[in-house]
Amino acid sequence: MEQENLVVQMKGISKVYPNGIAANRDVNFTLRRGEIHAIMGENGAGKSTLMKILFGLEQPTSGEILVNGEPVVINSPNKAISLGIGMVHQHFMLVPSLTVAENIVLGMAPTKSRVFVDYKKAVEIAEENATRFNLRIDPNAKVVDIPVGMKQKVEILKALVRGAKILILDEPTAVLTTQETSELFKELISLKEQGFTIVFISHKLKEIKQITDRLTIMRNGKSMGVYETASISEEEISRLMVGRDVVLEVIKDKAQPSETVLKVRDLEYTDRWNKKMLDKVSFSVRKGEILGIAGVEGNGQRELVEMLFNLNVPDAGTVYANGKSLIGMPQNIIRDQGVSLVPEDRMTYGIADIASIEENVISDRFGEKRFNRGPLFNMREIHQESETLIVDYRILAKSRKQQVKMLSGGNIQKVVVARELSSQPTLLIADQPTRGIDVGATEFIRNQIVELSRNGSGVLLVSADLNEVIELSDSLIVMYGGKIVAYFEDTDQLDDITMGEYMLGLKHQTEEEIAKVCYE
Amino acid sequence: MSSDRRLLLFNLLRGAAAIFLALLVATALIFLSSKEPLTALKYLLLGPVISFKSTGMVFNTVSFLTILAAMTPTIFSGLAVCVMFSASQFNLGGEGVIMLGGFVGALLGIYLKLNTGLHQVVCILAAAVVGGLVMLIPALLKVKLGASEMVTSLMMNYIIMFIILHFLNFTFADRSKGATQSFPFEATAKIPEIVSNGTKLTWGLVIALIFVVIIALFMYRTKWGYAIRMVGINQSFAQYSGIQVGMIIVLSQVIGGMLSGIGGSIEMLGRYNTFLWRELPGYGWIGITVAILAKNNPIFVPLAALFIAYLDKGCQLMSINSDVPFEMIDIIQAAIFLFFAAEQFLAKYRQRIVVRNAQRDLALQEAAVSREGKLS
């Protein structure tokens, strides 16, 4: 009886990517017919990989998949669709210049005399399904013009029109406003009542509690168990999600913070989807200390860093470094203030991929007098600078002329770190400095950051890696929903459970407690 | 041989293979369409440098020098495109600016009275300044308003052409002549031939080659060239690094405009006696071909320009001496482009080189690490 009810069984799934990262380790996962099942876990826990395997986008290294009790090999999304599995990706896969109806029937468009697309029929199909599944859309609108919430409905309809009985939604609420989220939930529940099975990938506790029947928690590529949503508390979920497997220790002396180097006050920002990403964020960073920002990704940390380096402009608020306002300032002026940034997205901001290591490490200083002789570059000085940095920062490369994109992820990050740390910044902003890189490079970079702060620089460390942010920071703030919800002056006594509760929005401190991080 | 050098060699060979394959395609088409395919091929491939006489084949110096002369303007337009494309600015305005450079050079050549030597320099410099100023238009439209420089510069070509024609027709025309043309240039403004044998191979070619060196140094040995290349590779990176991206975008196009202006004026004062261009001269378009063949590297520009000039001459001779039309050049060029642009062409072989290099590097690193381990 129980067996019949299981539409999907994934047994002993392991996945090792070509770069050696083991994203799934012996994961078991089952879906009952007609349930809403959450997969929870932090970024990098392996949720998306597991679902990509189910949807045929990735092949498991080992393990077995059964759909409706039959063993299957899902080697492509087409195969998954034919098995009745549909997926709505976090980043929508729609053609912006086509209408909603055209997107819905894309690849299976009804035709007139087998040649011309029957657009009228396409609209009919779209409308019919929209009514049937109770998803309100405008079939004639161009996708580029419709709001995010509607795009998501189009994606869901696309899957349903193709006959999906099992819907995988990858962090569906990450891009939605509160109203859109509650609308989505109503629709999902109505789909469930019609017999559809829904997988819901998320790390937002409240939502999960609200609409799911069961949940599977993942951490570090492993399943931490399956639970009935009603029988597990939010605290317990948070403990299972963010607990640390290995506690990593960083040896550092006690911080001796001196004067304020970065002063952020009342920063506010609403993104173009009308989502409030920063809500009255105020804090200060002092010389000689590492201030960490912990939080689950997507709670405003990225936007905050963008504002500090003028890669985006806030709606209100001020940012001062060494007493000088940074808002609206070109990056060369910001760098002149002694601010440097290890960016989160190293491939977009951190490097020029087809340029050489040498060209990458001098990008912030190539105009300096010592590197120029008259109108020409002083190549000798430039070679010397790059050779020194390659040695000092232990960049493994054939030569300074090697293209950066030929290096491993860890060494690419060392190129970025070499440039940003060697400029002797008074303030270093390190955004996810060790994400996705090997253990050796991680340790090296962490030690470099500690050394920099002990030599008197201020460091703002943003990291979604709880281990890193607790061990590396001297004091710590937690961001949730665009706000600072907690400030801990000392990280020594912090434990994962407390942190988890703040990070997932279960608790927050009083305004007086939080305001201490302004040191005024 | 070091692995980097092997990759470079591979790239050169790949270019040669692309050209070879394109010529094979052309040969096949000639055999399909022509009644005298061998004659056509003979003129296409050898005609530009060899004369066929009853007594045998003789190296044709005059024809060869004509080809060199034809390279001069396309070296400049090729360099201009190299600089602009390196900054990822797909400015196609070189065509109009070359015509304008020729016009400005011509006017100063007609109406200024200066000593020879100084006269040419003033004409060329003026053409450079005007060329640079005109390119400010698409550059500033891009930086200030976000308008695509490709569209604005392309349209600008025709605006420039018709403005020039207007002034040529109504202000500067020599009414004593049957065709619309300007008065003749002063002898002091003419750029002299290197050898006076009617090939019109002037000192302009030497100036062009000097500019090849200057632009190569500019792109790879100065902070401005560096900034241009970084903006071209990754604009977000350039901005984050503190490079003033807007200024660099403008700079690259102004330099492109100056080079085009210089090229136009040298061409006009070297190979003509009066200004008589009634339409866009076409050197700007060829410049794009040249820059693509040279992979935006100034050093390879003369080679690419020579190849295009040779091909052009070969097609001319083929169309005169056989039944294959001149338009064959478009097919050959298109085929070369196709093979050149196709990243996947011989990619498997390239991948093998990369993989082998990577494996060897890893082995070396491991060896080094274990050696260090033993030492410490």
Side-chain angles (χ1 to χ4, degrees), chain A residues 33 39 57 89 117 121-122 125-126 137 225 230 270 285 302 310 350 376 380 389 395 408 433-434 448 474 498:
Chain A
R33 182 165 292 122
I39 302 186
L57 287 167
H89 298 272
V117 173
K121 191 80 190 293
I125 294 176
I137 49 146
T270 306
V285 179
R302 169 181 299 176
N310 193 32
L376 293 181
R380 195 125 133 264
L389 290 180
I395 299 165
S408 71
T434 64
Q448 292 293 319
D474 299 309
T498 330

Side-chain angles (χ1 to χ4, degrees), chain A residues 58-310:
Chain A
E58 297 286 354
Q59 299 307 306
T61 315
S62 61
E64 190 189 10
I65 304 175
L66 287 84
V67 174
N68 297 318
E70 300 282 321
V72 288
V73 176
I74 307 178
N75 47 20
S76 75
N78 278 334
K79 182 69 191 282
I81 290 166
S82 75
L83 291 168
I85 301 169
M87 183 158 182
V88 175
H89 298 272
Q90 196 176 357
H91 307 284
F92 302 135
M93 311 269 184
L94 298 171
V95 185
S97 56
L98 295 183
T99 65
V100 167
E102 283 167 328
N103 266 288
I104 288 175
V105 301
L106 196 70
M108 46 176 287
T111 51
K112 275 187 245 180
S113 45
R114 291 172 161 245
V115 180
F116 302 103
V117 173
D118 187 345
Y119 182 68
K120 237 187 194 164
K121 191 80 190 293
V123 173
E124 267 170 41
I125 294 176
E127 270 174 345
E128 190 190 302
N129 282 285
T131 327
R132 188 170 137 215
F133 298 117
N134 199 15
L135 293 158
R136 282 187 303 117
I137 49 146
D138 173 4
N140 289 307
K142 285 208 170 137
V143 164
V144 65
D145 298 327
I146 62 178
V148 185
M150 197 187 284
K151 281 185 191 151
Q152 193 161 50
K153 286 177 206 171
V154 176
E155 283 276 18
I156 296 175
L157 270 175
K158 247 172 79 183
L160 293 174
V161 167
R162 281 161 181 72
K165 295 281 170 235
I166 301 161
L167 271 180
I168 305 166
L169 305 178
D170 191 356
E171 300 202 25
T173 58
V175 290
L176 299 185
T177 61
T178 326
Q179 291 89 332
E180 285 172 328
T181 303
S182 58
E183 204 177 318
L184 173 73
F185 284 180
K186 270 188 222 137
E187 289 154 0
L188 292 183
I189 287 168
S190 127
L191 283 174
K192 172 184 146 182
E193 281 160 1
Q194 296 180 53
F196 289 89
T197 310
I198 295 163
V199 184
F200 192 94
I201 304 180
S202 178
H203 42 55
K204 296 190 184 165
L205 277 176
K206 296 224 160 62
E207 297 177 350
I208 298 294
K209 283 298 261 186
Q210 203 178 333
I211 70 156
T212 65
D213 302 302
R214 290 198 305 160
L215 52 91
T216 297
I217 299 174
M218 293 193 67
R219 189 165 90 204
N220 272 339
K222 284 184 278 196
S223 167
M224 304 303 291
V226 187
Y227 303 87
E228 298 285 335
T229 309
S231 66
I232 184 168
S233 70
E234 292 183 7
E235 287 74 18
E236 207 165 337
I237 299 176
S238 113
R239 189 179 55 77
L240 286 164
M241 256 174 77
V242 300
R244 286 183 285 177
D245 291 334
V246 213
V247 174
L248 159 139
E249 301 247 10
V250 176
I251 302 153
K252 58 180 202 285
D253 327 324
K254 189 117 185 72
Q256 308 279 338
S258 56
E259 73 263 41
T260 299
V261 55
L262 176 73
K263 196 170 133 184
V264 176
R265 293 293 179 271
D266 298 321
L267 219 49
E268 294 198 47
Y269 178 66
T270 306
D271 72 8
R272 59 192 166 119
W273 296 287
N274 230 349
K275 209 172 168 207
K276 190 136 200 155
M277 294 313 294
L278 293 178
D279 192 357
K280 295 236 172 243
V281 171
S282 302
F283 64 92
S284 295
V285 179
R286 295 167 297 182
K287 285 186 178 165
E289 73 167 352
I290 303 176
L291 177 70
I293 298 185
V296 174
E297 253 176 279
N299 281 290
Q301 303 95 314
R302 169 181 299 176
E303 287 73 13
L304 173 65
V305 172
E306 283 174 356
M307 306 300 162
L308 299 184
F309 219 68
N310 193 32

Side-chain angles (χ1 to χ4, degrees), chain A residues 341 348 351 359 363 377 420, chain B residues 221 226 229 234 237 240-241:
Chain A
L341 167 67
T348 303
I351 58 156
E359 288 167 333
S363 73
F377 267 153
E420 299 305 319
Chain B
R221 287 285 184 276
Y226 170 84
R229 287 185 298 118
N234 182 348
F237 164 77
Y240 144 91
S241 295

Side-chain angles (χ1 to χ4, degrees), chain B residues 310-326:
Chain B
Y310 189 99
L311 195 63
D312 188 81
K313 183 81 179 175
C315 283
Q316 267 178 39
L317 290 169
M318 177 173 69
S319 66
I320 296 168
N321 295 299
S322 77
D323 58 351
V324 180
F326 180 70

Side-chain angles (χ1 to χ4, degrees), chain B residues 27-342:
Chain B
T27 310
L29 285 172
I30 289 170
F31 269 93
L32 279 175
S33 64
S34 172
K35 290 200 187 71
E36 36 180 357
L38 291 177
T39 318
L41 273 180
K42 188 173 77 177
Y43 281 102
L44 171 67
L45 299 177
L46 303 175
V49 285
I50 288 169
S51 349
F52 305 101
K53 304 222 168 108
S54 50
T55 49
M57 300 195 286
V58 186
F59 185 79
N60 188 337
T61 319
V62 172
S63 175
F64 179 65
L65 294 183
T66 326
I67 293 171
L68 292 186
M71 282 167 62
T72 310
T74 55
I75 288 179
F76 279 106
S77 58
L79 289 176
V81 175
C82 277
V83 174
M84 297 190 291
F85 278 23
S86 291
S88 274
Q89 299 305 305
F90 297 100
N91 184 315
L92 307 179
E95 189 61 47
V97 175
I98 285 180
M99 187 175 183
L100 184 62
F103 190 60
V104 169
L107 290 185
L108 295 182
I110 298 163
Y111 297 104
L112 267 187
K113 306 285 180 251
L114 287 170
N115 291 332
T116 193
L118 182 63
H119 200 165
Q120 291 95 333
V121 171
V122 169
C123 292
I124 294 169
L125 282 181
V129 170
V130 172
L133 285 177
V134 165
M135 282 299 199
L136 272 178
I137 298 171
L140 289 177
L141 284 174
K142 167 79 172 266
V143 172
K144 298 289 175 202
L145 301 174
S148 158
E149 76 287 353
M150 199 193 284
V151 176
T152 52
S153 63
L154 193 61
M155 294 192 298
M156 195 174 73
N157 287 331
Y158 297 95
I159 299 174
I160 292 175
M161 178 182 88
F162 284 111
I163 291 177
I164 291 174
L165 290 184
H166 172 86
F167 283 108
L168 182 62
N169 281 328
F170 295 105
T171 315
F172 299 112
D174 181 354
R175 302 282 171 215
S176 67
K177 293 286 189 315
T180 312
Q181 60 185 61
S182 73
F183 290 95
F185 315 143
E186 294 286 332
T188 49
K190 293 277 295 168
I191 293 171
E193 280 180 309
I194 298 176
V195 217
S196 45
N197 57 359
T199 54
K200 306 226 166 151
L201 176 63
T202 65
W203 287 97
L205 180 67
V206 176
I207 303 176
L209 293 175
I210 293 172
F211 266 94
V212 168
V213 176
I214 293 176
I215 295 301
L217 280 175
F218 174 79
M219 291 303 291
Y220 290 93
R221 287 285 184 276
T222 72
K223 53 185 171 195
W224 304 287
Y226 170 84
I228 285 176
R229 287 185 298 118
M230 293 306 124
V231 168
I233 295 172
N234 182 348
Q235 198 169 314
S236 304
F237 164 77
Q239 185 204 356
Y240 144 91
S241 295
I243 294 172
Q244 285 161 297
V245 173
M247 200 198 78
I248 293 301
I249 287 177
V250 172
L251 177 73
S252 70
Q253 297 182 57
V254 166
I255 288 174
M258 292 174 78
L259 287 167
S260 302
I262 295 173
S265 60
I266 286 181
E267 174 70 358
M268 182 52 64
L269 298 175
R271 294 215 282 175
Y272 298 84
N273 297 311
T274 65
F275 185 89
L276 40 68
W277 284 344
R278 308 275 307 139
E279 52 193 26
L280 295 169
Y283 300 129
W285 308 135
I286 298 173
I288 295 168
T289 312
V290 167
I292 290 175
L293 290 183
K295 294 220 151 179
N296 290 345
N297 189 337
I299 286 297
F300 295 132
V301 162
L303 213 62
L306 175 66
F307 174 69
I308 294 292
Y310 189 99
L311 195 63
D312 188 81
K313 183 81 179 175
C315 283
Q316 267 178 39
L317 290 169
M318 177 173 69
S319 66
I320 296 168
N321 295 299
S322 77
D323 58 351
V324 180
F326 180 70
E327 281 68 26
M328 182 58 76
I329 194 173
D330 294 330
I331 297 179
I332 301 175
Q333 278 197 16
I336 296 175
F337 266 5
L338 221 61
F339 289 120
F340 245 79

